[in-house]
Amino acid sequence: MGDGPPTYEAEPSALPAADPDDLGELVADTVLDGARYGASTLRAASVRGDSARYRGEPRRDALLTARFGSGEDALVLVAMATGARATPGAHRAAAEACDWIGRAVGRSHARLAEDIRAARRGDLKSGLHRLTDRSLGKLRAHAADLGMEPDEYAASLRCLLLPADPSCRTRVFFGVGAGGLFRLRDGAWQDIEPRVAEATGEGVVGFGSPPPPGQPEQAEESDRLTMALGITTPPSPYEPAPEPPRDPFRFRASIARPGDTLVLCSEGLAEPLRGEPELAEHLTRRWEKGGPPGLAAFLADVQVRVKGYADDRTAAAVWEA
């Protein structure tokens, strides 16, 4: 798609260099996963970009799908991370970010699932903010251990929480860094990525979308995300210089409707979805009718090539029956 053929070949050409004493560091070209709980069907994939395939570089995107708990009390986590561009160990930083947030969510999954079912939006937002800060804080600490600057060993982190309880339609997104959160509803794409200074509303029910037919509008109160303005004060000779502003925490909790498809993705797919209408139209035709695709079909959809976009692509999509 686009105004001409993509620059690189369609299939992998060069493998990343391997260390015979550290083969555990190798990253597969493609990861594919899926599940079904209650009314929701999950598909997830992470694919090395055309540019990395051509240059023999490892995939900088990492993907984690995990179920914590059992039965209707279970909680499904999808976490994706992207390591900093043109830095050594970017793929390791992304994998560690997913691993640490997975551990944090797993240890708190019972409370998180309870808060989701009870629509405790404030508790969810503050709790997930703390878990995210701690996970990324460990990444910054590891950067120091490696003798690297924090921005050299860093990663964006985007997550989705899906309760297994079929009676609970709440879907929770949280994370830090670039990417996309989209919803395909009634044949139209909605970009529902939380903005930094966006008013996020009081309740979970109806948040991020008009109320279901027959239900009244929910009153909204100001609950704006905090934002670092990037204004620094002159360094004091008695105090260390302030850290550069970090990416803001983003959070959205919304109620899924039957027929919705929710898509969480890394920047590698978010950019062409926003910039190439033909891709959005193609995915609408593929995903709007006929139910969730199989794993192989979903992988083919995620890696549809668009001229000018050659980064890794990671996406998780949830179809609501």
Side-chain angles (χ1 to χ4, degrees):
M1 296 180 179
D3 58 4
T7 303
Y8 302 102
E9 297 180 33
E11 299 297 335
S13 53
L15 289 170
D19 181 347
D21 296 319
D22 199 6
L23 295 179
E25 288 295 311
L26 291 178
V27 181
D29 177 270
T30 300
V31 175
L32 186 61
D33 209 348
R36 184 173 67 245
Y37 288 95
S40 300
T41 299
L42 170 68
R43 298 286 181 260
S46 184
V47 184
R48 191 163 53 133
D50 289 348
S51 175
R53 284 174 164 179
Y54 176 77
R55 293 182 170 86
E57 298 171 350
R59 174 167 46 89
R60 291 186 298 118
D61 278 8
L63 173 67
L64 170 70
T65 53
R67 171 180 60 86
F68 302 108
S70 60
E72 295 186 356
D73 294 328
L75 186 64
V76 175
L77 166 70
V78 181
M80 58 186 67
T82 301
R85 188 185 300 275
T87 59
H91 60 292
R92 289 191 294 271
E96 287 184 4
C98 287
D99 181 68
W100 279 323
I101 196 64
R103 292 170 186 262
V105 168
R107 290 165 181 157
S108 303
H109 78 271
R111 173 63 185 273
L112 288 169
E114 180 183 340
D115 286 345
I116 292 173
R117 285 195 296 266
R120 300 188 188 109
R121 185 188 167 281
D123 290 345
L124 278 170
K125 181 179 176 182
S126 60
L128 292 171
H129 196 169
R130 286 194 298 272
L131 295 183
T132 303
D133 278 352
R134 290 172 186 170
S135 299
L136 295 181
K138 290 182 178 180
L139 200 62
R140 290 189 291 272
H142 195 193
D145 293 340
L146 296 172
M148 303 173 66
E149 294 296 326
D151 59 349
E152 292 178 331
Y153 197 77
S156 64
L157 178 63
R158 307 174 65 77
C159 304
L160 194 63
L161 292 178
L162 307 169
D165 185 347
S167 66
C168 181
R169 290 271 191 173
T170 304
R171 311 292 177 244
V172 177
F173 158 75
F174 66 97
V176 171
L181 182 67
F182 304 92
R183 180 168 53 209
L184 179 58
R185 172 176 287 176
D186 298 329
W189 284 93
Q190 302 170 355
D191 189 338
I192 57 173
E193 173 78 8
R195 304 305 189 258
V196 172
E198 183 179 31
T200 54
E202 175 63 19
V204 171
V205 177
F207 173 68
S209 60
Q215 294 188 14
E217 293 279 353
Q218 298 287 329
E220 292 191 346
E221 299 178 5
S222 177
D223 182 48
R224 298 182 181 275
L225 297 177
T226 57
M227 177 176 64
L229 298 177
I231 301 173
T232 58
T233 56
S236 165
Y238 308 105
E239 298 177 0
E243 292 186 6
R246 296 173 185 163
D247 288 333
F249 177 75
R250 299 176 190 267
F251 172 92
R252 183 178 290 276
S254 60
I255 297 297
R257 299 184 193 175
D260 281 356
T261 301
L262 182 68
V263 179
L264 174 68
C265 56
S266 65
E267 193 173 16
L269 183 58
E271 286 190 342
L273 262 178
R274 293 184 175 117
E276 180 52 66
E278 188 179 353
L279 177 61
E281 293 168 3
H282 172 78
L283 294 181
T284 300
R285 292 191 298 269
R286 295 279 297 168
W287 294 352
E288 180 67 6
K289 296 180 180 180
L295 291 178
F298 179 73
L299 175 61
D301 293 337
V302 167
Q303 59 184 357
V304 168
R305 306 172 75 225
V306 182
K307 173 70 172 178
Y309 300 96
D311 283 344
D312 297 349
R313 290 185 181 181
T314 301
V318 183
W319 278 262
E320 303 290 347

